[in-house]
mmCIF file of all heavy atoms in Angstrom:
data_model
loop_
_atom_site.group_PDB
_atom_site.id
_atom_site.type_symbol
_atom_site.label_atom_id
_atom_site.label_comp_id
_atom_site.label_asym_id
_atom_site.label_seq_id
_atom_site.Cartn_x
_atom_site.Cartn_y
_atom_site.Cartn_z
ATOM 1 N N ARG A 6 96.245 132.176 66.168
ATOM 2 C CA ARG A 6 96.142 131.323 64.976
ATOM 3 C C ARG A 6 95.161 130.172 65.169
ATOM 4 O O ARG A 6 94.612 129.662 64.188
ATOM 5 C CB ARG A 6 97.518 130.760 64.605
ATOM 6 C CG ARG A 6 98.418 131.755 63.916
ATOM 7 C CD ARG A 6 99.621 131.067 63.307
ATOM 8 N NE ARG A 6 100.366 130.275 64.290
ATOM 9 C CZ ARG A 6 101.419 129.518 63.994
ATOM 10 N NH1 ARG A 6 101.825 129.414 62.738
ATOM 11 N NH2 ARG A 6 102.052 128.847 64.939
ATOM 12 N N ARG A 7 94.940 129.780 66.433
ATOM 13 C CA ARG A 7 94.032 128.660 66.687
ATOM 14 C C ARG A 7 92.624 129.121 67.078
ATOM 15 O O ARG A 7 91.773 128.304 67.417
ATOM 16 C CB ARG A 7 94.593 127.730 67.769
ATOM 17 C CG ARG A 7 94.747 128.365 69.137
ATOM 18 C CD ARG A 7 95.104 127.332 70.206
ATOM 19 N NE ARG A 7 94.122 126.295 70.323
ATOM 20 C CZ ARG A 7 92.990 126.414 71.036
ATOM 21 N NH1 ARG A 7 92.700 127.550 71.657
ATOM 22 N NH2 ARG A 7 92.160 125.401 71.108
ATOM 23 N N LEU A 8 92.368 130.440 67.012
ATOM 24 C CA LEU A 8 91.065 130.965 67.413
ATOM 25 C C LEU A 8 90.309 131.527 66.213
ATOM 26 O O LEU A 8 90.898 132.080 65.283
ATOM 27 C CB LEU A 8 91.235 132.059 68.472
ATOM 28 C CG LEU A 8 91.828 131.621 69.818
ATOM 29 C CD1 LEU A 8 92.098 132.830 70.710
ATOM 30 C CD2 LEU A 8 90.903 130.624 70.527
ATOM 31 N N ASP A 9 88.976 131.429 66.282
ATOM 32 C CA ASP A 9 88.111 132.023 65.269
ATOM 33 C C ASP A 9 87.584 133.386 65.709
ATOM 34 O O ASP A 9 87.287 134.248 64.885
ATOM 35 C CB ASP A 9 86.913 131.101 64.994
ATOM 36 C CG ASP A 9 87.350 129.723 64.533
ATOM 37 O OD1 ASP A 9 88.109 129.652 63.549
ATOM 38 O OD2 ASP A 9 86.944 128.724 65.170
ATOM 39 N N VAL A 10 87.441 133.559 67.017
ATOM 40 C CA VAL A 10 86.871 134.786 67.582
ATOM 41 C C VAL A 10 87.602 135.103 68.882
ATOM 42 O O VAL A 10 87.915 134.189 69.656
ATOM 43 C CB VAL A 10 85.358 134.622 67.888
ATOM 44 C CG1 VAL A 10 84.768 135.932 68.413
ATOM 45 C CG2 VAL A 10 84.594 134.131 66.672
ATOM 46 N N ILE A 11 87.860 136.387 69.123
ATOM 47 C CA ILE A 11 88.318 136.846 70.436
ATOM 48 C C ILE A 11 87.324 137.892 70.922
ATOM 49 O O ILE A 11 87.034 138.871 70.216
ATOM 50 C CB ILE A 11 89.742 137.425 70.393
ATOM 51 C CG1 ILE A 11 90.761 136.318 70.087
ATOM 52 C CG2 ILE A 11 90.091 138.089 71.737
ATOM 53 C CD1 ILE A 11 92.209 136.787 70.045
ATOM 54 N N ILE A 12 86.792 137.683 72.117
ATOM 55 C CA ILE A 12 85.804 138.589 72.716
ATOM 56 C C ILE A 12 86.408 139.241 73.957
ATOM 57 O O ILE A 12 86.993 138.566 74.795
ATOM 58 C CB ILE A 12 84.520 137.826 73.105
ATOM 59 C CG1 ILE A 12 83.859 137.221 71.859
ATOM 60 C CG2 ILE A 12 83.548 138.744 73.838
ATOM 61 C CD1 ILE A 12 82.676 136.311 72.181
ATOM 62 N N VAL A 13 86.261 140.552 74.060
ATOM 63 C CA VAL A 13 86.615 141.293 75.270
ATOM 64 C C VAL A 13 85.304 141.557 75.999
ATOM 65 O O VAL A 13 84.534 142.434 75.609
ATOM 66 C CB VAL A 13 87.335 142.611 74.940
ATOM 67 C CG1 VAL A 13 87.716 143.338 76.232
ATOM 68 C CG2 VAL A 13 88.557 142.365 74.080
ATOM 69 N N PRO A 14 84.983 140.780 77.045
ATOM 70 C CA PRO A 14 83.670 140.884 77.685
ATOM 71 C C PRO A 14 83.650 141.881 78.843
ATOM 72 O O PRO A 14 84.187 141.641 79.919
ATOM 73 C CB PRO A 14 83.434 139.459 78.193
ATOM 74 C CG PRO A 14 84.806 138.938 78.494
ATOM 75 C CD PRO A 14 85.776 139.658 77.597
ATOM 76 N N GLY A 15 83.024 143.028 78.615
ATOM 77 C CA GLY A 15 82.859 143.998 79.691
ATOM 78 C C GLY A 15 84.166 144.507 80.253
ATOM 79 O O GLY A 15 85.182 144.554 79.562
ATOM 80 N N THR A 16 84.139 144.900 81.510
ATOM 81 C CA THR A 16 85.243 145.484 82.288
ATOM 82 C C THR A 16 85.583 146.882 81.760
ATOM 83 O O THR A 16 85.228 147.248 80.646
ATOM 84 C CB THR A 16 86.524 144.616 82.304
ATOM 85 O OG1 THR A 16 87.246 144.760 81.067
ATOM 86 C CG2 THR A 16 86.197 143.149 82.529
ATOM 87 N N GLY A 17 86.345 147.634 82.539
ATOM 88 C CA GLY A 17 86.802 148.953 82.095
ATOM 89 C C GLY A 17 88.089 148.828 81.317
ATOM 90 O O GLY A 17 89.102 149.439 81.674
ATOM 91 N N ILE A 18 88.050 148.044 80.258
ATOM 92 C CA ILE A 18 89.264 147.687 79.533
ATOM 93 C C ILE A 18 89.929 148.897 78.898
ATOM 94 O O ILE A 18 91.149 148.930 78.718
ATOM 95 C CB ILE A 18 88.949 146.603 78.463
ATOM 96 C CG1 ILE A 18 90.225 145.963 77.906
ATOM 97 C CG2 ILE A 18 88.089 147.180 77.347
ATOM 98 C CD1 ILE A 18 90.911 145.039 78.855
ATOM 99 N N LEU A 19 89.144 149.927 78.539
ATOM 100 C CA LEU A 19 89.694 151.086 77.848
ATOM 101 C C LEU A 19 89.900 152.255 78.808
ATOM 102 O O LEU A 19 89.420 153.375 78.573
ATOM 103 C CB LEU A 19 88.778 151.490 76.676
ATOM 104 C CG LEU A 19 88.655 150.449 75.556
ATOM 105 C CD1 LEU A 19 87.620 150.893 74.526
ATOM 106 C CD2 LEU A 19 90.008 150.206 74.887
ATOM 107 N N ASP A 20 90.593 152.007 79.899
ATOM 108 C CA ASP A 20 91.074 153.086 80.762
ATOM 109 C C ASP A 20 92.463 152.701 81.273
ATOM 110 O O ASP A 20 92.914 151.572 81.066
ATOM 111 C CB ASP A 20 90.103 153.410 81.908
ATOM 112 C CG ASP A 20 90.075 152.347 83.015
ATOM 113 O OD1 ASP A 20 91.123 151.722 83.293
ATOM 114 O OD2 ASP A 20 89.013 152.149 83.626
ATOM 115 N N ASP A 21 93.134 153.648 81.916
ATOM 116 C CA ASP A 21 94.488 153.343 82.415
ATOM 117 C C ASP A 21 94.590 153.550 83.917
ATOM 118 O O ASP A 21 95.615 153.964 84.429
ATOM 119 C CB ASP A 21 95.552 154.161 81.672
ATOM 120 C CG ASP A 21 95.390 155.669 81.837
ATOM 121 O OD1 ASP A 21 94.350 156.111 82.394
ATOM 122 O OD2 ASP A 21 96.282 156.420 81.409
ATOM 123 N N PHE A 22 93.502 153.222 84.626
ATOM 124 C CA PHE A 22 93.492 153.350 86.082
ATOM 125 C C PHE A 22 94.569 152.458 86.693
ATOM 126 O O PHE A 22 94.594 151.246 86.488
ATOM 127 C CB PHE A 22 92.121 152.963 86.638
ATOM 128 C CG PHE A 22 92.034 153.016 88.139
ATOM 129 C CD1 PHE A 22 92.073 154.223 88.804
ATOM 130 C CD2 PHE A 22 91.921 151.855 88.893
ATOM 131 C CE1 PHE A 22 91.996 154.280 90.190
ATOM 132 C CE2 PHE A 22 91.841 151.890 90.272
ATOM 133 C CZ PHE A 22 91.883 153.112 90.918
ATOM 134 N N GLY A 23 95.492 153.067 87.436
ATOM 135 C CA GLY A 23 96.535 152.329 88.134
ATOM 136 C C GLY A 23 97.495 151.587 87.230
ATOM 137 O O GLY A 23 98.126 150.622 87.661
ATOM 138 N N ASP A 24 97.638 152.023 85.964
ATOM 139 C CA ASP A 24 98.444 151.274 85.013
ATOM 140 C C ASP A 24 99.319 152.222 84.206
ATOM 141 O O ASP A 24 99.042 153.418 84.085
ATOM 142 C CB ASP A 24 97.519 150.496 84.064
ATOM 143 C CG ASP A 24 98.195 149.308 83.396
ATOM 144 O OD1 ASP A 24 99.383 149.063 83.682
ATOM 145 O OD2 ASP A 24 97.519 148.639 82.596
ATOM 146 N N SER A 25 100.390 151.679 83.619
ATOM 147 C CA SER A 25 101.240 152.434 82.703
ATOM 148 C C SER A 25 100.969 151.947 81.283
ATOM 149 O O SER A 25 100.324 150.908 81.077
ATOM 150 C CB SER A 25 102.721 152.228 83.043
ATOM 151 O OG SER A 25 103.149 150.941 82.617
ATOM 152 N N PHE A 26 101.491 152.654 80.292
ATOM 153 C CA PHE A 26 101.232 152.247 78.914
ATOM 154 C C PHE A 26 101.872 150.908 78.580
ATOM 155 O O PHE A 26 101.461 150.224 77.637
ATOM 156 C CB PHE A 26 101.687 153.330 77.928
ATOM 157 C CG PHE A 26 103.172 153.554 77.869
ATOM 158 C CD1 PHE A 26 103.984 152.792 77.042
ATOM 159 C CD2 PHE A 26 103.769 154.552 78.639
ATOM 160 C CE1 PHE A 26 105.350 153.005 76.981
ATOM 161 C CE2 PHE A 26 105.143 154.779 78.582
ATOM 162 C CZ PHE A 26 105.934 153.993 77.754
ATOM 163 N N LEU A 27 102.883 150.493 79.365
ATOM 164 C CA LEU A 27 103.514 149.196 79.136
ATOM 165 C C LEU A 27 102.706 148.037 79.727
ATOM 166 O O LEU A 27 103.070 146.872 79.545
ATOM 167 C CB LEU A 27 104.923 149.180 79.730
ATOM 168 C CG LEU A 27 105.978 149.963 78.949
ATOM 169 C CD1 LEU A 27 107.284 150.007 79.724
ATOM 170 C CD2 LEU A 27 106.196 149.354 77.567
ATOM 171 N N GLY A 28 101.620 148.360 80.412
ATOM 172 C CA GLY A 28 100.770 147.317 80.977
ATOM 173 C C GLY A 28 99.684 146.905 79.997
ATOM 174 O O GLY A 28 99.948 146.473 78.875
ATOM 175 N N MET A 29 98.410 147.072 80.411
ATOM 176 C CA MET A 29 97.298 146.638 79.573
ATOM 177 C C MET A 29 97.233 147.346 78.216
ATOM 178 O O MET A 29 96.882 146.703 77.210
ATOM 179 C CB MET A 29 95.972 146.802 80.321
ATOM 180 C CG MET A 29 94.753 146.383 79.511
ATOM 181 S SD MET A 29 94.865 144.729 78.767
ATOM 182 C CE MET A 29 94.659 143.694 80.207
ATOM 183 N N PRO A 30 97.547 148.644 78.098
ATOM 184 C CA PRO A 30 97.465 149.257 76.765
ATOM 185 C C PRO A 30 98.276 148.526 75.699
ATOM 186 O O PRO A 30 97.777 148.239 74.610
ATOM 187 C CB PRO A 30 97.988 150.681 77.010
ATOM 188 C CG PRO A 30 97.598 150.972 78.417
ATOM 189 C CD PRO A 30 97.802 149.662 79.150
ATOM 190 N N VAL A 31 99.538 148.192 75.997
ATOM 191 C CA VAL A 31 100.357 147.448 75.034
ATOM 192 C C VAL A 31 99.804 146.045 74.832
ATOM 193 O O VAL A 31 99.704 145.550 73.690
ATOM 194 C CB VAL A 31 101.822 147.386 75.502
ATOM 195 C CG1 VAL A 31 102.593 146.340 74.702
ATOM 196 C CG2 VAL A 31 102.496 148.734 75.346
ATOM 197 N N SER A 32 99.421 145.381 75.920
ATOM 198 C CA SER A 32 98.909 144.015 75.807
ATOM 199 C C SER A 32 97.644 143.960 74.967
ATOM 200 O O SER A 32 97.472 143.055 74.132
ATOM 201 C CB SER A 32 98.639 143.438 77.201
ATOM 202 O OG SER A 32 99.829 143.328 77.948
ATOM 203 N N LEU A 33 96.755 144.906 75.179
ATOM 204 C CA LEU A 33 95.495 144.921 74.441
ATOM 205 C C LEU A 33 95.738 145.076 72.941
ATOM 206 O O LEU A 33 95.188 144.321 72.127
ATOM 207 C CB LEU A 33 94.608 146.052 74.955
ATOM 208 C CG LEU A 33 93.228 146.170 74.304
ATOM 209 C CD1 LEU A 33 92.388 144.929 74.585
ATOM 210 C CD2 LEU A 33 92.507 147.425 74.821
ATOM 211 N N LEU A 34 96.573 146.039 72.560
ATOM 212 C CA LEU A 34 96.857 146.230 71.139
ATOM 213 C C LEU A 34 97.558 144.999 70.549
ATOM 214 O O LEU A 34 97.268 144.590 69.418
ATOM 215 C CB LEU A 34 97.706 147.475 70.929
ATOM 216 C CG LEU A 34 98.083 147.780 69.467
ATOM 217 C CD1 LEU A 34 96.839 147.887 68.587
ATOM 218 C CD2 LEU A 34 98.917 149.057 69.381
ATOM 219 N N THR A 35 98.462 144.411 71.306
ATOM 220 C CA THR A 35 99.176 143.227 70.828
ATOM 221 C C THR A 35 98.209 142.105 70.466
ATOM 222 O O THR A 35 98.274 141.513 69.383
ATOM 223 C CB THR A 35 100.165 142.731 71.895
ATOM 224 O OG1 THR A 35 101.149 143.742 72.143
ATOM 225 C CG2 THR A 35 100.862 141.453 71.446
ATOM 226 N N TRP A 36 97.285 141.812 71.362
ATOM 227 C CA TRP A 36 96.351 140.711 71.127
ATOM 228 C C TRP A 36 95.331 141.053 70.051
ATOM 229 O O TRP A 36 94.935 140.181 69.260
ATOM 230 C CB TRP A 36 95.670 140.311 72.424
ATOM 231 C CG TRP A 36 96.546 139.438 73.276
ATOM 232 C CD1 TRP A 36 97.443 139.836 74.225
ATOM 233 C CD2 TRP A 36 96.631 138.020 73.217
ATOM 234 N NE1 TRP A 36 98.078 138.757 74.771
ATOM 235 C CE2 TRP A 36 97.601 137.617 74.179
ATOM 236 C CE3 TRP A 36 95.991 137.037 72.474
ATOM 237 C CZ2 TRP A 36 97.930 136.286 74.401
ATOM 238 C CZ3 TRP A 36 96.314 135.705 72.682
ATOM 239 C CH2 TRP A 36 97.283 135.338 73.640
ATOM 240 N N CYS A 37 94.892 142.318 70.016
ATOM 241 C CA CYS A 37 93.941 142.708 68.966
ATOM 242 C C CYS A 37 94.591 142.628 67.588
ATOM 243 O O CYS A 37 93.981 142.155 66.619
ATOM 244 C CB CYS A 37 93.423 144.119 69.235
ATOM 245 S SG CYS A 37 92.326 144.245 70.667
ATOM 246 N N ALA A 38 95.841 143.073 67.495
ATOM 247 C CA ALA A 38 96.554 142.993 66.221
ATOM 248 C C ALA A 38 96.774 141.541 65.819
ATOM 249 O O ALA A 38 96.625 141.173 64.642
ATOM 250 C CB ALA A 38 97.885 143.730 66.327
ATOM 251 N N ALA A 39 97.120 140.687 66.778
ATOM 252 C CA ALA A 39 97.318 139.270 66.478
ATOM 253 C C ALA A 39 96.030 138.643 65.962
ATOM 254 O O ALA A 39 96.050 137.839 65.013
ATOM 255 C CB ALA A 39 97.808 138.544 67.725
ATOM 256 N N ALA A 40 94.902 139.021 66.569
ATOM 257 C CA ALA A 40 93.615 138.485 66.121
ATOM 258 C C ALA A 40 93.351 138.843 64.664
ATOM 259 O O ALA A 40 92.989 137.982 63.851
ATOM 260 C CB ALA A 40 92.490 139.008 67.013
#
């Protein structure tokens, strides 16, 4: 609510290396939806 822009800068953000769906996949969608 206090941001105008959210940027995801680089990284292999769209893979699930060493992670479960309850890790970054859920977090990423949560923050993108909030934005």
